Amino acid sequence: MVLGMRRKLSQFKQWETRKLFATVLAGKMIGIATVLAAVRGFFWLFESPAGAQTKESIPQQLAHQVSAINTVWVLVTAFLVFFMQAGFMALEAGVARSRETVNVLMECVFDTCLCGILYWAFGFAFQFGLGNGLIGHSYFFLHGIPSTYDYAGLGPDTGVAFLAFFLFQFAFADTASTITSGAMVGRTSFKGDILYSTCVSGFFYPIFGHWVWGPGGWLATTMGWFHSLSPDTFFRDFAGSTVVHTVGGTIALMGAIALGPRLGRKFKRDGGGPTPPHDLTMASIGAVILWFGWYGFNPGSTLSGMDFEGIGRVAANTTLAACAGGLIAVLFVYPRSKKWDLGMSLNGFLGGLVAITAPCYWVSPAGAVWIGAIAGIVVPLGIDALEHLRIDDPIGAVPVHMLAGVWGTLSVGLFATGGYGVNGLFYGGGTDQLVSQAIGSLSCLVVVGGLAAIVMFAIKAIPGEWGLRVSQDIELEGLDIHEHGTPAYHVEFGMGMTYMTPAGLPGRAPIPPTSDRIDSSV
């Protein structure tokens, strides 16, 4: 045995043996280092350091005390905002044509899932991470988060548990993404939807959101290049008339322009008109669900369950603006058709809700009524403008979200009472706040609109299924069948289905031959 060991040891004198040994040893070391790095990376990615409590960490923990009432309040309102997705699904599906119902529903579901992952990975970091005036660059994959959100140390501590704050902001990001799809239904490929939705949820929304709500965002803190135009005021958007709605509506407009109108869409100036909704019951229920969800959207943006007066004021203003918008929109269009238009009432109160989202904390109830009433005129005028320009927006996303969002943003500079930290023109505040609001709104329209146009036309130029628009044959067949393999409504027992004839009169689907009928006795 000793002799055998000596022989093996003597082999190390040979160059080939030493080289082989060194290669094997190096390979094992590299393998071990790779495994350790992978483990380290895994826990870096999926976990925040838990470390033992030290004397140095105690003051930091005391500065990040979680407020139970604030956290519960933000979570409840986050759930309300998330439930707005059900409203969007019902509203968009009901207003769209029946052969694209499944496509609308699937886009809303898929975009929500996609938004959640992107916002966790880097969207939240871009929007609310510590960075500069343009973009944040901390909290990627929610790594290294404190107990509560405190605007990365640059603002007041909210007292809201960090992940509750994240969930609330995710629901907002998801809303912006869903708004975009509303103007593009009926002719957008599902793979093209994935591409532009990635840009909306991962880049456009969170980066612009950082400018307004993020720590150190230039619109909220310095006004950047435009400081000399408004030296004493900054851009204000309490719950997202610009950050959520104008962003989503502007991207929707660029998408509708890039796509072009649906096949067979005949505009009013050419002797036609908007395509009638296929299910107004579904659309109406969806719109009212959105109204209900807005009680999370606006009051939840206080981020404090202790701000009893502010929560009540915001909720009341939200209600009054919606009521005024719905009433005025119907009354405004009644002289044209002599009909009480249900669809216009829905878009009217939604426009009022969008408009009051920015100023809801800073205006009086009377101001809320005026803001909603003017939105009720802005929306039908916006629909008329799109019809005249031959831009096909089946849901009305552009008038409701972009145009009413711009109006709501400007209204801060007009109707803010001055009693809650912001003072508008009509209450003796001069034009400074109005100028700041105009700068912020124009920044959104120019920057987000320009980048969205580039992205939409770039996706449109992609050949094949990853392009923005489906082929003519697919559009005529219906997106539900080709893209998803099933219609929303099935013909059972050979009974046929009601549809609209080319003349616009109700008809019956042809009854199939006996051999093709479903045997109801089986």
Side-chain angles (χ1 to χ4, degrees):
M1 181 177 178
V2 174
L3 182 61
M5 289 293 292
R6 288 178 177 177
R7 286 178 179 176
K8 291 180 179 179
L9 291 173
S10 65
Q11 290 177 357
F12 278 95
K13 296 180 180 180
Q14 300 177 10
W15 166 248
E16 291 79 6
T17 302
R18 294 199 303 271
K19 181 179 179 181
L20 177 61
F21 177 79
T23 302
V24 173
L25 180 62
K28 290 182 178 294
M29 293 298 101
I30 291 174
I32 293 172
T34 301
V35 171
L36 292 176
V39 171
R40 175 69 176 175
F42 177 85
F43 284 103
W44 181 91
L45 182 63
F46 293 104
E47 295 290 343
S48 297
Q53 186 176 13
T54 64
K55 293 182 178 179
E56 290 77 16
S57 67
I58 292 175
Q60 184 178 5
Q61 290 179 1
L62 292 176
H64 289 87
Q65 290 292 324
V66 176
S67 166
I69 190 169
N70 287 356
T71 298
V72 171
W73 169 247
V74 168
L75 281 174
V76 170
T77 54
F79 303 153
L80 283 172
V81 177
F82 183 81
F83 189 58
M84 292 174 74
Q85 290 302 315
F88 279 118
M89 292 169 71
L91 174 63
E92 294 183 11
V95 174
R97 297 170 298 190
S98 59
R99 66 175 186 246
E100 58 216 27
T101 303
V102 173
N103 181 255
V104 170
L105 301 177
M106 182 59 184
E107 282 188 355
C108 289
V109 171
F110 192 91
D111 287 353
T112 295
C113 298
L114 179 65
C115 178
I117 299 300
L118 294 176
Y119 204 64
W120 160 72
F122 53 83
F124 183 87
F126 288 161
Q127 185 169 2
F128 288 103
L130 179 64
N132 52 44
L134 296 177
I135 191 170
H137 46 69
S138 61
Y139 305 138
F140 290 104
F141 299 98
L142 296 181
H143 176 70
I145 62 176
S147 300
T148 60
Y149 185 74
D150 63 351
Y151 297 92
L154 298 183
D157 191 339
T158 63
V160 178
F162 196 101
L163 292 180
F165 181 81
F166 163 79
L167 185 66
F168 183 73
Q169 297 301 337
F170 152 69
F172 273 58
D174 192 22
T175 299
S177 177
T178 306
I179 290 169
T180 300
S181 65
M184 302 172 66
V185 300
R187 69 270 205 210
T188 307
S189 75
F190 192 74
K191 292 180 179 178
D193 172 81
I194 294 174
L195 293 179
Y196 80 71
S197 294
T198 299
C199 295
V200 176
S201 300
F203 300 96
F204 293 161
Y205 170 78
I207 292 175
F208 184 83
H210 181 82
W211 297 1
V212 181
W213 292 338
W218 72 272
L219 278 173
T221 58
T222 67
M223 295 302 291
W225 297 336
F226 308 101
H227 177 73
S228 61
L229 297 177
S230 182
D232 299 321
T233 59
F234 305 105
F235 181 73
R236 293 290 178 259
D237 184 357
F238 186 75
S241 287
T242 295
V243 176
V244 178
H245 296 285
T246 305
V247 166
T250 301
I251 300 170
L253 175 62
M254 296 301 109
I257 292 173
L259 282 167
R262 292 166 291 173
L263 294 175
R265 174 70 160 92
K266 195 174 184 181
F267 295 91
K268 189 171 183 179
R269 63 189 297 189
D270 303 316
T275 303
H278 92 274
D279 191 342
L280 270 175
T281 301
M282 183 190 302
S284 301
I285 292 173
V288 174
I289 289 174
L290 287 173
W291 188 338
F292 176 65
W294 238 284
Y295 291 121
F297 211 94
N298 288 358
S301 294
T302 60
L303 300 179
S304 172
M306 297 296 292
D307 187 3
F308 307 124
E309 182 183 356
I311 291 171
R313 181 172 65 254
V314 170
N317 287 342
T318 299
T319 303
L320 292 172
C323 294
L327 283 176
I328 295 301
V330 172
L331 296 174
F332 184 75
V333 300
Y334 178 79
R336 308 182 193 178
S337 62
K338 304 300 181 184
K339 303 294 182 184
W340 304 101
D341 193 324
L342 173 60
M344 191 58 68
S345 72
L346 303 181
N347 277 342
F349 77 66
L350 289 174
L353 289 166
V354 169
I356 198 61
T357 298
C360 55
Y361 194 87
W362 300 301
V363 300
S364 67
V369 171
W370 278 105
I371 291 167
I374 295 173
I377 297 174
V378 169
V379 169
L381 290 179
I383 294 173
D384 291 344
L386 292 184
E387 193 74 15
H388 181 77
L389 295 171
R390 297 189 178 94
I391 297 174
D392 189 10
D393 177 5
I395 310 301
V398 176
V400 169
H401 296 282
M402 189 188 86
L403 298 182
V406 170
W407 157 240
T409 300
L410 296 177
S411 71
V412 175
L414 298 173
F415 289 95
T417 63
Y420 314 108
V422 180
N423 201 359
L425 176 63
F426 296 160
Y427 290 81
T431 60
D432 286 353
Q433 189 63 53
L434 182 60
V435 170
S436 296
Q437 298 305 111
I439 291 171
S441 190
L442 283 172
S443 298
C444 176
L445 295 174
V446 172
V447 177
V448 175
L451 293 175
I454 292 172
V455 168
M456 291 298 183
F457 280 97
I459 299 174
K460 182 180 179 180
I462 299 174
E465 295 183 350
W466 286 98
L468 190 63
R469 181 160 183 161
V470 297
S471 68
Q472 179 175 328
D473 291 341
I474 294 174
E475 186 174 345
L476 291 174
E477 178 186 13
L479 295 175
D480 289 359
I481 298 296
H482 184 272
E483 297 276 54
H484 310 288
T486 182
Y489 310 101
H490 295 266
V491 182
E492 298 179 350
F493 308 119
M495 296 301 293
M497 60 183 292
T498 302
Y499 69 104
M500 297 302 290
T501 67
L505 301 174
R508 292 289 291 181
I511 299 176
T514 304
S515 59
D516 295 332
R517 296 182 192 174
I518 300 174
D519 188 352
S520 60
S521 64
V522 176

